[in-house]
Amino acid sequence: MSNWETMSQDELEKQYSPSRWSHRMSPDEVVKSHVTALRAGTENAQRISQTQLNIPYGEGEDEKLDMYMPHNFSPNCPLLIYIHGGYWQFLTLSCTVKEESGFMAASLVPKGVAVVAVDYSIAPKGNMDLMVSQVRASVVSIMQRYPSSELYLCGHSAGAHLVAMVLSADWSKYNVTPDIKGAFLLSGIYDIVPIVSTYVNEPLTMTNEVALRNSPMCLLHQLKGSISTDVVIAVAEHDSPEFRRQSKDYYKSLKSMGLRATFEDVPNTDHFNILEKFVDHDYSLTQLLLKMMGKD
């Protein structure tokens, strides 16, 4: 069990500040390096992929997605839907976050997998309820657009939280049930109540009530629709103890419910390069993802 409620404010802030735990660089340096790596990876992915950009999945100005497809793309090609992180509020200040979220296509498109990068209304423009509803709607839209494709989800940090919220959706509200074959959750946060009293919540302005209804750990009873989904929960060796604890707790909860969950503790990585390494075909998690899709 967590003892976050007994932590000092300074310790709580530190635990939920991923950049302060990197073993490679200072907090500012690791964030700048991360943005540079994702941007470069996405530019490379655009060079090798057939792209369709700014496809609407809803009526909101942020409700758009980018597709990175093999040149021999067919309607039954596996689709990986990627939900970006950034603590629900930013990744960079200079451009739309989905435009830096196609990097995984660099290693997946050559293997016949299409990558879909989803945008949503980050805070302070969007609130948590809206963001959760948007990513769920994006999955429904993609399923309807490509009904014969196998769907896989991947999210990092706040994006892993949003993927877990997709898995916890009450699909009766959408009149469809997406057949999600697999999900990769990387360095995620699954109980967002601890961040309500931290700096992270300043642009989000969540109450405890909002945090509770948007915490995957509080919605385990709604996971019965995901019983056939393969779920990989990965955490970096140099994630903070709280991030590591949250990943282990969520994994144990899924296993206790009979879900097909596996836990990956990735050595010599931090909160940022656990994701950046997906541009490498030989990276252990890339290989695991391709194996899940039958593309290894």
Side-chain angles (χ1 to χ4, degrees):
M1 297 299 291
S2 169
N3 62 348
W4 68 265
E5 292 177 286
T6 63
M7 289 180 186
S8 68
Q9 185 66 29
D10 285 348
E11 181 59 24
L12 191 62
E13 299 270 357
K14 181 180 179 182
Q15 287 288 331
Y16 286 96
S17 299
S19 62
R20 296 173 67 179
W21 297 86
S22 174
H23 61 303
R24 299 178 296 133
M25 332 180 174
S26 72
D28 287 345
E29 288 172 335
V30 78
V31 171
K32 289 177 183 176
S33 175
H34 185 60
V35 172
T36 299
L38 299 192
R39 194 175 285 162
T42 299
E43 289 171 356
N44 183 45
Q46 289 174 342
R47 284 192 290 269
I48 68 165
S49 306
Q50 176 183 343
T51 60
Q52 292 182 15
L53 307 179
N54 295 312
I55 302 169
Y57 66 82
E59 296 181 359
E61 96 177 274
D62 300 315
E63 295 174 357
K64 294 181 173 65
L65 52 87
D66 291 345
M67 288 197 64
Y68 299 77
M69 300 165 289
H71 289 282
N72 61 347
F73 178 76
S74 65
N76 61 354
C77 177
L79 297 178
L80 178 75
I81 303 170
Y82 175 72
I83 311 296
H84 68 76
Y87 252 158
W88 309 278
Q89 51 200 278
F90 69 90
L91 187 54
T92 77
L93 300 177
S94 59
C95 61
T96 309
V97 283
K98 72 172 172 54
E99 294 173 359
E100 296 176 345
S101 298
F103 54 91
M104 295 179 78
S107 58
L108 299 183
V109 162
K111 287 291 188 175
V113 178
V115 175
V116 186
V118 173
D119 229 351
Y120 52 92
S121 298
I122 55 178
K125 184 177 180 181
N127 59 47
M128 187 62 70
D129 289 324
L130 175 61
M131 288 182 266
V132 168
S133 69
Q134 285 175 325
V135 295
R136 288 171 173 172
S138 75
V139 173
V140 172
S141 175
I142 293 163
M143 181 204 71
Q144 292 171 336
R145 188 180 177 94
Y146 298 102
S148 58
S149 290
E150 291 187 344
L151 298 186
Y152 298 84
L153 305 178
C154 180
H156 171 248
S157 195
H161 159 266
L162 291 171
V163 167
M165 290 299 291
V166 170
L167 297 179
S168 302
D170 178 1
W171 295 113
S172 65
K173 298 177 181 177
Y174 298 85
N175 298 315
V176 296
T177 302
D179 184 13
I180 299 167
K181 298 295 185 182
F184 257 64
L185 287 73
L186 310 170
S187 292
I189 178 169
Y190 309 103
D191 175 7
I192 60 176
V193 175
I195 69 168
V196 169
S197 61
T198 71
Y199 74 96
V200 178
N201 195 37
E202 290 174 8
L204 294 164
T205 64
M206 288 189 298
T207 62
N208 277 342
E209 180 185 10
V210 171
L212 284 167
R213 70 170 173 257
N214 287 293
S215 286
M217 282 294 290
C218 299
L219 300 172
L220 295 168
H221 61 285
Q222 292 182 193
L223 279 168
K224 55 185 179 294
S226 300
I227 199 74
S228 62
T229 303
D230 287 314
V231 182
V232 173
I233 298 169
V235 66
E237 177 185 357
H238 297 282
D239 263 315
S240 76
E242 267 296 279
F243 267 81
R244 290 177 58 80
R245 190 269 308 170
Q246 286 226 13
S247 289
K248 289 175 182 175
D249 285 355
Y250 192 59
Y251 161 71
K252 290 174 183 176
S253 296
L254 297 190
K255 288 294 285 186
S256 71
M257 297 184 63
L259 270 72
R260 299 207 299 250
T262 57
F263 185 80
E264 296 291 327
D265 193 342
V266 188
N268 199 33
T269 57
D270 59 30
H271 189 82
F272 301 94
N273 66 356
I274 189 176
L275 177 69
E276 295 162 15
K277 288 173 177 283
F278 269 98
V279 298
D280 182 359
H281 173 267
D282 295 325
Y283 178 41
S284 61
L285 293 186
T286 307
Q287 289 293 308
L288 191 58
L289 178 56
L290 288 168
K291 184 176 181 180
M292 178 189 284
M293 296 175 165
K295 293 287 186 176
D296 55 330

